[in-house]
């Protein structure tokens, strides 16, 4: 797994995958055309990083998609899906001191939310931006105090879904992503890699 800013060595990838360097080089060129990799002179291939403006654009789009997902989930989620969301959040209370596990549970919650929305086109849109989310430096870092905020924000989303209140669920989800952007901007560009 490579992180934003990491150098990708053709020879290493070739050996790991058991292929010649030619398909690796072609794959890197394709990733370059998708702006996921930057080919730098003297350095070779480097995993792309998003600049501050790109981060804001990405979060703005995600904010609206998350709001729509929560809105649709409030309208379409089955009782079993609502119980699954609650179960996931119960797990997060036990993981407050384990940032890696908490990050995994966070993604589990969001994926369950997307499924509960019951809209395949929304899922495709979210999948499309997920690749770009992987280019966020520090995205897996959970600062002190944020775990409790995450749980509170997720519970507000769940409350809106349980109440079958699309407006409340949408607002809670958009507020959640807006807070995530705020936190990312505070730590994402000031934290050492």
């Amino acid at each position: 797994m490579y992180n934003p800013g990491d150098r990708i060595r053709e020879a290493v990838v070739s050996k790991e995958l058991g292929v010649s360097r030619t398909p690796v080089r072609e794959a890197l060129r394709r990733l370059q055309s998708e702006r996921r990799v930057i080919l730098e002179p003297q350095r070779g291939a480097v995993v792309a990083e998003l600049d501050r403006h790109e981060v804001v654009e990405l979060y703005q789009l995600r904010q609206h998609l998350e709001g729509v997902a929560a809105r649709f989930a409030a309208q379409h989620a089955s009782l079993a899906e609502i119980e699954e969301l609650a179960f996931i959040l119960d797990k997060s209370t036990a993981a407050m001191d384990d940032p890696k596990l908490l990050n995994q549970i966070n993604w589990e919650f969001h994926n369950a939310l997307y499924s509960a929305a019951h809209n395949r086109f929304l899922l495709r849109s979210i999948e499309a931006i997920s690749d770009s989310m992987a280019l966020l430096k520090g995205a897996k870092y959970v600062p002190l105090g944020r775990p409790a905020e995450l749980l509170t924000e997720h519970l507000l989303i769940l409350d809106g879904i349980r109440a079958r209140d699309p407006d409340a669920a949408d607002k809670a989800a958009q507020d959640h992503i807006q807070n995530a952007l705020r936190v990312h901007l505070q730590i994402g560009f000031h934290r050492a890699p």
Side-chain angles (χ1 to χ4, degrees):
M1 171 78 171
Y2 292 95
N3 294 309
D6 287 352
R7 184 174 175 206
I8 303 172
R9 291 182 172 86
E10 281 181 23
V12 172
V13 174
S14 173
K15 185 176 179 180
E16 287 175 351
L17 298 177
V19 297
S20 73
R21 290 175 71 163
T22 302
V24 173
R25 193 173 300 120
E26 290 172 13
L28 290 173
R29 283 191 192 117
R30 185 172 179 189
L31 290 169
Q32 180 188 24
S33 73
E34 296 171 3
R35 299 191 65 222
R36 301 202 190 298
V37 167
I38 299 166
L39 297 178
E40 296 180 347
Q42 312 300 323
R43 210 168 160 220
V46 177
V47 178
E49 297 179 53
L50 299 179
D51 65 29
R52 188 180 189 90
H53 184 73
E54 290 170 320
V55 169
V56 170
E57 287 179 350
L58 181 59
Y59 269 97
Q60 285 174 335
L61 179 58
R62 184 171 174 218
Q63 178 180 351
H64 290 285
L65 289 174
E66 292 276 340
V68 169
R71 172 176 292 282
F72 288 172
Q75 295 168 327
H76 307 296
S78 68
L79 291 177
E81 288 168 325
I82 294 171
E83 288 174 15
E84 176 67 16
L85 288 164
F87 174 74
I88 293 167
L89 292 184
D90 286 343
K91 289 194 304 186
S92 66
T93 57
M96 289 296 186
D97 295 328
D98 185 345
K100 187 175 180 181
L101 180 58
L102 192 61
N103 191 51
Q104 178 185 333
I105 292 169
N106 179 55
W107 283 108
E108 202 177 313
F109 175 80
H110 286 274
N111 286 328
L113 174 66
Y114 307 148
S115 288
H118 293 276
N119 187 301
R120 71 191 83 176
F121 296 101
L122 175 67
L123 280 173
R124 287 183 201 156
S125 298
I126 289 170
E127 286 171 5
I129 68 166
S130 289
D131 289 342
S132 296
M133 293 298 291
L135 299 176
L136 294 175
K137 196 168 194 168
K140 294 181 180 176
Y141 173 73
V142 181
L144 204 58
R146 185 69 181 140
E149 291 174 359
L150 279 174
L151 179 58
T152 300
E153 292 167 10
H154 286 158
L155 286 169
L156 286 172
I157 296 168
L158 180 58
D159 288 346
I161 294 168
R162 270 190 179 137
R164 301 295 187 182
D165 184 340
D167 292 335
D170 185 329
K171 181 180 182 336
Q174 287 205 44
D175 289 349
H176 169 57
I177 300 303
Q178 192 170 39
N179 289 334
L181 170 60
R182 176 186 47 80
V183 169
H184 185 86
L185 290 176
Q186 288 173 349
I187 62 151
F189 293 97
H190 304 294
R191 203 173 153 265

